[in-house]
Amino acid sequence: MTLKQLIDKNIFTLLNTGDDTERQITTPFCCDLLSIAMGRAPAGCAWVTVMANMNTLAVASLADAACIILAEDVHLDEAALNKAKIQGITVFETDMPVFEAACKVLGLMEQADPAE
């Protein structure tokens, strides 16, 4: 499933559209400890977290995450949102719990038609 397909599903609130909406999402990844995410987040993942700050954007960039999904109704502040725009990082938010949001992504990935 591509980021564009996830955006088009309109399941999560889109805060910022990143630079590459045709990028494939490889897997959902849940982690709230930035040092663990930095070393273990798979490239291309949809990273689901409650960590909504500048450091999260830096880790997403270093880990080459496809996008960030902020769960549990957390929000980026204006400075962090501006940084996401500058860095071209796709960021969503949702009131879903972390695990539920990750399961939603996985379910969509399993349903996605690779030809779309």
Side-chain angles (χ1 to χ4, degrees):
M1 175 173 66
T2 65
L3 278 172
K4 181 176 181 345
Q5 289 171 316
L6 181 58
I7 291 167
D8 290 347
K9 294 291 183 184
N10 204 29
I11 292 171
F12 306 120
T13 302
L14 180 64
L15 298 180
N16 186 61
T17 303
D19 293 339
D20 185 6
T21 60
E22 293 305 316
R23 183 160 187 200
Q24 289 290 322
I25 297 171
T26 58
T27 188
F29 175 74
C30 302
C31 186
D32 293 324
L33 190 56
L34 297 178
S35 60
I36 297 291
M38 191 170 15
R40 297 189 183 167
C45 70
W47 179 19
V48 186
T49 183
V50 297
M51 299 299 295
N53 58 46
M54 291 282 200
N55 292 335
T56 304
L57 299 172
V59 170
S61 181
L62 285 170
D64 198 24
C67 65
I68 299 169
I69 302 170
L70 299 172
E72 306 276 353
D73 206 25
V74 299
H75 310 281
L76 285 178
D77 63 28
E78 188 174 333
L81 181 56
N82 287 334
K83 187 70 167 179
K85 290 176 183 178
I86 291 167
Q87 291 185 324
I89 298 171
T90 299
V91 182
F92 300 92
E93 66 183 13
T94 182
D95 60 356
M96 291 179 199
V98 170
F99 182 73
E100 185 178 330
C103 287
K104 184 61 97 173
V105 171
L106 184 60
L108 292 171
M109 290 177 68
E110 291 171 346
Q111 295 173 1
D113 180 358
E116 286 184 10

